Amino acid sequence: MALLATVVASAQNTQTAAAEAAAALSAAEDVPEKVEKPRYWTNKLVTNISFGQTFLSQWAAGGYNNVSLSGTIDGSANYAKGKLVGTNHLVMDYGFLYSADKPILQKNKDRILFESKWGYETPVKHLAYSASFDFRTQFNNNYDYKTPATTQDAEGNVIEPSVADWLDARKLKSGFFSPAYLNVGIGALWTPAPWFSLNVAPLSGGAVIVSIEELRKTYGMALVDGSTTEYRSARMEFGTQLKLDMGWVINENFSYNTQFTLFYNYLTPKVEPRITWDNKISWKVARFFAINLSTYMIYDPLVQVNPRRTDGKGLQFKEFLELGFTYSIATKKN
């Protein structure tokens, strides 16, 4: 009897354990799977520090020893949810150059650029209603350094210009909010491919601001009513803006981006449109080092840059070729 009781008890314990295991398994199946929250923002930050140096010794062709240092912060924050998409882009450049022919630091790179573009999809494939905002200026003053006149002492020896002489001879070219370009536009955005976007904003309003009084004539500001010497600090604009963006990532080490912008002002129909064209080629030669080639072109018919023409019209062009330390931080959309 004792043996029978033991067998019965063991069977009951086994049945109880099996029932408990089945219940636990059933409860586990009822627990919903954890769903990761969707991520609508995709962010990226690229920083670059570049250093350049030239040394010459008994170089027959001539030249000057020089060193340069510059830095760039390039950040983007893009949004996509349903039919709404947005891109935000901020670039800040700054750099210095020291050359043996001048006893002063010269600024060779200075830019602040912010762009924001939002679109809402239409029934037409790849086409969206769009709203955009653009802002461009720089951090501080930039100068054209003229060579000061030399002087002689009582014995006829030439006295080299001092730092103060160089600073007195320089000519102011631009500064913070001198100029500054602001533009807000409403129109249509066409994105037939991930690497291509065309934004046409036939309703674009904005302003050109020149806060430094001595630069206002150079940047095409109008005279104050009743004055022959005082110029306005801002010029309001209303017209059409066309912006074309293209970018190719050839592989994880090589990329090319270009942006072409055209603005035509309805308020000055006889004046040619303002055009900007920016290009950047980036080649990553090592994990944290890259070669960057950047070009910037501006044609503004109201800005006086060509002294050989009475109207001052001319093409502005700037180019940088740099090898520097590059570090990127990015988040990817799920």
Side-chain angles (χ1 to χ4, degrees):
M1 291 294 294
L3 179 59
L4 180 61
T6 301
V7 172
V8 172
S10 176
Q12 290 177 344
N13 291 337
T14 301
Q15 291 176 352
T16 301
E20 291 176 352
L25 182 60
S26 177
E29 292 176 351
D30 293 337
V31 176
E33 293 184 6
K34 184 178 180 181
V35 178
E36 188 173 351
K37 186 178 180 180
R39 182 180 296 158
Y40 303 114
W41 287 95
T42 303
N43 307 316
K44 185 176 182 180
L45 178 67
V46 180
T47 59
N48 178 269
I49 298 176
S50 299
F51 174 79
Q53 185 264 340
T54 300
F55 174 75
L56 305 173
S57 177
Q58 302 184 57
W59 190 254
Y64 298 97
N65 299 337
N66 64 77
V67 293
S68 63
L69 179 67
S70 64
T72 298
I73 296 176
D74 189 330
S76 62
N78 301 328
Y79 181 87
K81 182 181 179 181
K83 295 184 177 182
L84 180 65
V85 295
T87 60
N88 302 278
H89 187 208
L90 173 66
V91 180
M92 295 184 290
D93 294 322
Y94 203 80
F96 287 104
L97 168 71
Y98 181 84
S99 180
D101 63 322
K102 298 180 180 67
I104 47 177
L105 278 176
Q106 303 171 70
K107 190 177 65 171
N108 67 342
K109 201 174 187 183
D110 189 357
R111 181 174 65 142
I112 302 173
L113 167 65
F114 176 72
E115 301 174 308
S116 183
K117 184 167 55 182
W118 292 83
Y120 189 84
E121 293 181 7
T122 69
V124 180
K125 189 177 181 180
H126 304 309
L127 191 66
Y129 305 111
S130 70
S132 61
F133 171 78
D134 305 328
F135 171 72
R136 287 175 180 253
T137 189
Q138 60 189 52
F139 286 99
N140 57 19
N141 293 347
N142 189 38
Y143 298 91
D144 182 10
Y145 289 93
K146 306 293 185 180
T147 303
T150 57
T151 58
Q152 295 181 343
D153 59 17
E155 298 178 355
N157 298 316
V158 175
I159 302 175
E160 292 296 328
S162 65
V163 173
D165 294 331
W166 279 97
L167 296 179
D168 290 340
R170 64 186 179 178
K171 181 181 179 182
L172 183 63
K173 301 291 289 184
S174 58
F176 180 65
F177 265 77
S178 291
Y181 297 91
L182 298 95
N183 186 278
V184 177
I186 298 175
L189 175 65
W190 183 46
T191 53
W195 52 269
F196 180 99
S197 73
L198 175 64
N199 188 65
V200 180
L203 299 177
S204 293
V208 179
I209 302 170
V210 182
S211 61
I212 301 175
E213 187 174 355
E214 65 182 279
L215 296 176
R216 292 173 185 170
K217 180 181 178 181
T218 300
Y219 286 96
M221 297 296 106
L223 286 165
V224 174
D225 294 340
S227 175
T228 58
T229 57
E230 185 180 359
Y231 291 84
R232 298 180 183 274
S233 61
R235 179 177 71 246
M236 304 307 295
E237 298 181 328
F238 178 68
T240 292
Q241 178 175 269
L242 179 150
K243 181 178 290 187
L244 172 66
D245 287 279
M246 293 188 292
W248 292 272
V249 179
I250 309 303
N251 53 46
E252 62 180 7
N253 296 322
F254 192 87
S255 63
Y256 169 64
N257 292 277
T258 184
Q259 182 185 85
F260 178 86
T261 304
L262 180 149
F263 179 82
Y264 176 75
N265 192 357
Y266 299 145
L267 305 181
T268 55
K270 295 183 180 181
V271 177
E272 300 163 295
R274 180 172 65 243
I275 297 172
T276 63
W277 186 22
D278 299 345
N279 293 274
K280 183 175 182 180
I281 298 174
S282 182
W283 180 26
K284 196 172 182 179
V285 295
R287 183 178 179 184
F288 294 115
F289 292 91
I291 296 175
N292 296 310
L293 173 63
S294 303
T295 65
Y296 310 97
M297 188 195 77
I298 302 175
Y299 178 73
D300 190 333
L302 298 179
V303 177
Q304 300 177 10
V305 294
N306 188 349
R308 294 186 295 272
R309 293 185 51 153
T310 56
D311 57 10
K313 292 182 182 180
L315 185 66
Q316 305 172 57
F317 184 79
K318 182 167 58 174
E319 177 263 336
F320 293 98
L321 178 61
E322 302 170 312
L323 169 64
F325 174 84
T326 299
Y327 185 73
S328 302
I329 303 174
T331 58
K332 296 182 179 180
K333 185 178 177 182
N334 294 335

